[in-house]
């Protein structure tokens, strides 16, 4: 999985992944343009930017305009490390965080809209598992005829979140990979007696701030290229913001340590970092979202796809499908299929060994 992602990134934007050929629509112009396909790896900065903009545009066009609140659910450091060796449990964290909010809402007979994002990294690329959750500060009442406000309190959410995680680990105890020092339940009991950090941000009037913040991290790698300060083949230096001191710091490590820190955050194939619950859950949103729009006196919305020409035009102010010679439109005339992942493995293997690549 890690190797395949690295291979895709190395091939991104090259003809080895395939490309599209565009030709000028003007019969008197012979200009052609090659557009190479992207790798679509969730760990590629280039593809991540495109995926980020598409996700943000989709959420901004679909989510209802109402009061939202961003809540961060964290875990003690020791439990984060246990999840590093038991990654199969990561898929439960978003569900459990949403379950806490849904339980609070259910007591008031309300169904809110929720979306979550799972992060496994800190700013310095250490393993730091936490769940970002955004929820409407209101929702559909039981008979779905009115919109009812909601309020969330840290003192009630924290013990509920702590219980859900401890219960998850207790139920999975027999299958956990643990160090010898954690051979009994006592370490779980100790953490159950301590307060955990659940941070409630100030409620906002709409979802844009939450969407824009999360979009920068869930569709892109944990380290932007702009944060890389130095690399000489042996040492890597990158910048990061220390949340504790609110100051910018520099982290220095070997190239091997850097790759280990970075690649540990590559999600498993098919793993969903973003999930939806409440009236935003995929199985009910088609039925409930129109009711939410109606109760909030808003027009029904549909997600509009954001294509690569629009992204390039927005970023650089240039339409990539305009002929640079005669200003006519470029039209697609051919698609060339690229190498399969197995062929790419062979290609980069022989390239790394500086051996001739067999036909």
């Amino acid at each position: 999985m890690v190797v395949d992602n690295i291979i895709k990134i190395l091939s991104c934007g090259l003809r080895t992944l395939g490309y599209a050929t565009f030709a000028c629509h003007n019969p008197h112009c012979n200009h052609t343009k090659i557009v190479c396909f992207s790798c679509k790896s969730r760990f590629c900065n280039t593809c991540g930017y495109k995926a980020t903009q598409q996700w943000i545009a989709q959420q901004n066009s679909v989510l209802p305009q109402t009061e939202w609140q961003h809540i961060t659910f964290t875990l003690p450091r020791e439990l984060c490390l246990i999840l590093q060796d038991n990654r199969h449990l990561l898929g439960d964290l978003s569900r459990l965080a949403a379950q806490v909010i849904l339980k609070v809402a259910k007591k008031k007979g309300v169904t809110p809209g929720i979306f979550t994002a799972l992060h496994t990294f800190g700013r310095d690329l250490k393993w730091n598992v936490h769940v970002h959750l955004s929820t409407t500060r209101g929702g559909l009442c039981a008979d779905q005829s009115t919109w009812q406000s909601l309020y969330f309190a840290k003192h009630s959410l924290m013990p509920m979140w702590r219980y859900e995680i401890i219960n998850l680990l207790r139920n999975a105890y027999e299958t956990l990979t643990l160090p010898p020092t954690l051979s009994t339940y006592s370490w779980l009991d100790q953490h159950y007696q301590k307060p955990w950090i659940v941070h409630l941000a100030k409620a906002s009037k709409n979802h844009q701030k939450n969407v824009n913040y999360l979009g920068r991290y869930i569709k892109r790698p944990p380290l932007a290229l702009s944060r890389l300060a130095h690399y000489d083949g042996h040492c890597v230096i990158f910048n990061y913001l220390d949340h504790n001191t609110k100051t910018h710091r520099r982290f220095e490590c070997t190239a091997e340590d850097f790759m280990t820190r970075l690649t540990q955050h590559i999600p498993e194939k098919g793993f969903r970092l973003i999930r939806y619950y409440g009236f935003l859950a995929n199985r009910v949103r088609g039925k409930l979202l129109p009711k939410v729009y109606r109760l909030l006196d808003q027009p029904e919305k549909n997600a509009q796809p954001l294509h690569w020409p629009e992204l390039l035009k927005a970023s650089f102010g240039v339409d990539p499908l305009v002929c640079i010679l005669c200003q006519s439109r470029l039209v697609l005339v051919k698609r060339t299929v690229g190498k399969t992942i197995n062929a790419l493995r062979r290609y980069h293997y022989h390239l790394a060994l500086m051996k001739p690549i067999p036909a």
Side-chain angles (χ1 to χ4, degrees):
M1 177 193 67
V2 172
V3 173
D4 285 353
N5 273 274
I6 299 300
I7 287 174
K8 288 180 180 179
I9 294 171
L10 292 174
S11 305
C12 188
L14 301 179
R15 294 195 182 194
T16 51
L17 280 183
Y19 56 91
T21 304
F22 292 83
C24 184
H25 188 259
N26 182 354
H28 302 292
C29 179
N30 60 0
H31 176 63
T32 60
K33 181 176 184 176
I34 298 295
V35 178
C36 295
F37 297 150
S38 59
C39 67
K40 297 180 176 60
S41 169
R42 290 188 288 182
F43 221 63
C44 174
N45 271 290
T46 302
C47 296
Y49 175 79
K50 177 182 177 182
T52 296
Q53 297 307 311
Q54 289 175 327
W55 184 78
I56 289 175
Q58 182 184 41
Q59 303 314 306
N60 286 337
S61 64
V62 172
L63 296 179
Q65 293 289 335
T66 185
E67 195 173 39
W68 289 76
Q69 188 160 30
H70 184 179
I71 304 173
T72 307
F73 293 89
T74 70
L75 286 79
R77 177 66 178 162
E78 296 84 354
L79 301 190
C80 285
L81 294 177
I82 289 174
L83 291 175
Q84 190 173 22
D85 294 325
N86 299 273
R87 294 173 72 109
H88 62 283
L89 296 179
L90 292 176
D92 293 305
L93 300 188
S94 291
R95 174 181 58 82
L96 295 178
Q99 193 167 289
V100 169
I101 299 300
L102 291 173
K103 284 182 177 179
V104 172
K106 187 177 181 180
K107 292 180 180 178
K108 300 179 181 181
V110 179
T111 301
I114 300 170
F115 65 90
T116 66
L118 177 68
H119 285 186
T120 61
F121 52 86
R123 291 294 182 95
D124 58 355
L125 298 184
K126 67 175 177 291
W127 183 262
N128 180 26
V129 181
H130 53 288
V131 178
H132 289 282
L133 181 147
S134 289
T135 177
T136 54
R137 291 253 295 185
L140 296 169
C141 66
D143 62 3
Q144 302 175 3
S145 62
T146 58
W147 179 267
Q148 185 175 329
S149 297
L150 275 174
Y151 173 77
F152 303 103
K154 176 181 177 179
H155 64 81
S156 61
L157 297 184
M158 188 279 290
M160 295 174 67
W161 167 244
R162 182 178 59 188
Y163 167 80
E164 296 290 352
I165 296 300
I166 295 297
N167 193 49
L168 171 69
L169 294 174
R170 281 176 174 163
N171 291 336
Y173 181 79
E174 296 298 329
T175 62
L176 293 180
T177 300
L178 297 172
T181 54
L182 299 179
S183 57
T184 66
Y185 274 134
S186 59
W187 55 275
L188 280 176
D189 294 333
Q190 293 171 7
H191 285 293
Y192 197 67
Q193 304 304 320
K194 300 177 182 177
W196 292 18
I197 297 176
V198 174
H199 180 261
L200 279 70
K202 185 178 179 180
S204 56
K205 294 182 179 179
N206 56 56
H207 57 272
Q208 272 89 351
K209 182 178 179 180
N210 295 348
V211 167
N212 292 337
Y213 172 79
L214 291 178
R216 296 199 305 268
Y217 296 99
I218 53 185
K219 289 292 185 178
R220 300 174 70 176
L223 184 73
L225 292 177
S226 60
R227 290 173 54 198
L228 284 172
H230 172 75
Y231 172 63
D232 60 5
H234 304 284
C235 172
V236 177
I237 299 176
F238 62 88
N239 303 313
Y240 72 96
L241 175 65
D242 189 325
H243 281 298
N244 294 325
T245 62
K246 305 299 181 183
T247 59
H248 290 275
R249 303 183 62 181
R250 305 187 84 187
F251 188 91
E252 181 176 345
C253 61
T254 64
E256 292 79 8
D257 183 35
F258 175 76
M259 288 303 297
T260 299
R261 282 175 169 264
L262 191 63
T263 57
Q264 68 179 329
H265 303 297
I266 295 179
E268 303 291 336
K269 185 176 181 179
F271 187 88
R272 292 183 295 123
L273 293 172
I274 309 170
R275 309 194 183 200
Y276 301 88
Y277 303 90
F279 64 70
L280 291 177
N282 292 329
R283 62 184 178 84
V284 297
R285 70 160 55 192
K287 174 185 176 182
L288 298 184
L289 258 182
K291 296 181 179 180
V292 171
Y293 294 145
R294 186 175 67 254
L295 292 175
L296 294 176
D297 196 23
Q298 298 173 15
E300 288 197 29
K301 309 172 185 177
N302 292 308
Q304 299 297 322
L306 195 60
H307 301 293
W308 67 272
E310 298 166 333
L311 285 171
L312 286 177
K313 191 173 182 179
S315 299
F316 304 105
V318 177
D319 189 340
L321 295 183
V322 171
C323 178
I324 61 174
L325 299 182
C326 67
Q327 306 305 306
S328 298
R329 296 298 296 174
L330 296 176
V331 295
L332 177 66
V333 294
K334 183 181 178 182
R335 290 181 182 270
T336 303
V337 178
K339 295 179 181 292
T340 64
I341 187 63
N342 288 331
L344 287 173
R345 289 195 198 105
R346 292 174 56 245
Y347 175 84
H348 285 281
Y349 172 75
H350 288 281
L351 195 66
L353 296 179
M354 300 299 290
K355 292 182 177 180
I357 302 170

